[in-house]
Amino acid sequence: MRFQVLGPLGVVRDGRPCTPSALKRRVLLAVLLLSANRPVSVGQLIDELWSSRPPRSAVATLQMYVSGLRRALDPAHSAAHRDARSHPRLSTELAGYRLRVRPGELDLERFRTLASTGRRLVGEGHCGQAGLAFRRALSLCRGRPLSDLGTVGMLAPSITRLAEERLAVERESYETALCQGHGPLVIGELKEQCVRHPLQETFHEQLVLALCQAGRRAEALAAYASARRLIVGEIGVEPGPALRAAQRAALHDQYLVTARHPRCRATPT
């Protein structure tokens, strides 16, 4: 089995897609996947599916959705008329349900494992290897998490948290590139990030430093000036210390390709 939440919801069984087509069943599966291997109460599932206006038949309808998911996840179990409560994937728990996901089956789990590996490698002084781990994690992202579910029910906060996790890894990935003196290679990506996330100061700071590493001092100063105008205009405050420090480095042409993490060594350029 393969489960995907880092983009449109997806399920693959034996190499073939078997993602539920009905919206409510997709929402149910998404909620269970975000709590993989942990029991989720009937009350929470009803809240997620119908928000503050569940129908009188909510419990019975939920049971019908669960039965449909069980057939999709393990048709053989259902065809053999075995006890549904002992389903190998979607079991009945005390006052709720548990979706069992094995190691490596869920893209979110693999993403978090790779991100954790990258952070450990940064702490050990291996930014080059860390950058590879971060990029492998980001390669699992296929767009906005659960993008086909929009803001159905109460999923919106979970979707926002997943998007923030991706942003954090993107920032860390660019940081390892700068640490290794590879800023020129990510200038294009950083420009896109600054457009996509205009109030994320870290991306502006990283762009200024990447341009400095590329010897494009005038462009670095212009990038800072543009970022400052945007931040002051939108928020009414001056840029933070990290972005101002990047501007000073560009202004005085003092930026050198040195490690940005205490235990790392910059790769010679």
Side-chain angles (χ1 to χ4, degrees):
M1 297 289 293
R2 285 290 182 267
F3 299 99
Q4 300 169 322
V5 297
L6 299 178
L9 179 69
V11 184
V12 178
R13 186 188 68 246
D14 298 328
R16 296 182 179 181
C18 60
T19 310
S21 57
L23 177 60
K24 291 291 188 184
R25 287 182 183 173
R26 294 206 311 275
V27 173
L28 171 61
L29 177 57
V31 174
L32 292 169
L33 283 171
L34 293 180
S35 297
N37 300 311
R38 302 194 304 272
V40 184
S41 70
V42 168
Q44 181 182 343
L45 291 172
I46 289 174
D47 285 343
E48 295 282 7
L49 287 168
W50 290 285
S51 189
S52 60
R53 295 186 177 182
R56 292 183 179 179
S57 61
V59 173
T61 304
L62 172 62
Q63 291 172 344
M64 180 181 69
Y65 292 160
V66 168
S67 296
L69 275 184
R70 283 171 169 160
R71 288 193 297 273
L73 295 173
D74 194 329
H77 185 275
S78 300
H81 303 290
R82 298 170 184 161
D83 186 353
R85 292 172 298 179
S86 63
H87 192 276
R89 286 289 181 173
L90 183 48
S91 60
T92 300
E93 302 286 328
L94 183 63
Y97 301 95
R98 182 198 305 261
L99 179 62
R100 301 181 186 279
V101 177
R102 296 166 188 157
E105 289 185 333
L106 177 60
D107 59 356
L108 177 59
E109 179 229 341
R110 300 199 303 277
F111 174 89
R112 287 173 171 167
T113 297
L114 286 165
S116 178
T117 297
R119 289 165 189 145
R120 174 180 57 78
L121 288 167
V122 167
E124 294 173 354
H126 306 300
C127 260
Q129 296 175 44
L132 291 175
F134 290 139
R135 287 192 289 277
R136 286 180 60 197
L138 293 169
S139 72
L140 297 172
C141 300
R142 300 169 294 114
R144 183 168 176 78
L146 299 172
S147 56
D148 56 324
L149 301 185
T151 56
V152 173
M154 301 173 68
L155 271 176
S158 297
I159 292 173
T160 299
R161 283 195 296 273
L162 293 181
E164 287 294 331
E165 285 190 49
R166 175 178 176 172
L167 271 178
V169 175
E170 287 173 335
R171 289 191 292 264
E172 291 167 308
S173 175
Y174 296 131
E175 197 69 12
T176 59
L178 289 169
C179 189
Q180 294 290 288
H182 298 157
L185 301 179
V186 295
I187 288 173
E189 293 178 30
L190 284 168
K191 286 183 175 180
E192 291 179 7
Q193 295 286 21
C194 290
V195 172
R196 196 175 296 125
H197 307 285
L199 297 181
Q200 291 275 341
E201 283 196 29
T202 300
F203 289 136
H204 292 289
E205 174 213 352
Q206 291 173 331
L207 175 59
V208 171
L209 295 177
L211 288 165
C212 286
Q213 284 190 350
R216 295 156 62 174
R217 181 184 176 212
E219 290 180 62
L221 291 170
Y224 171 81
S226 176
R228 180 184 178 277
R229 282 194 303 271
L230 190 150
I231 293 165
V232 171
E234 292 289 328
I235 307 177
V237 299
E238 290 291 329
L243 182 51
R244 295 200 306 271
Q247 185 254 358
R248 287 195 300 272
L251 187 63
H252 300 292
D253 201 18
Q254 293 177 338
Y255 190 85
L256 300 176
V257 180
T258 56
R260 290 170 60 78
H261 301 110
R263 301 183 64 181
C264 292
R265 289 186 176 181
T267 299
T269 58

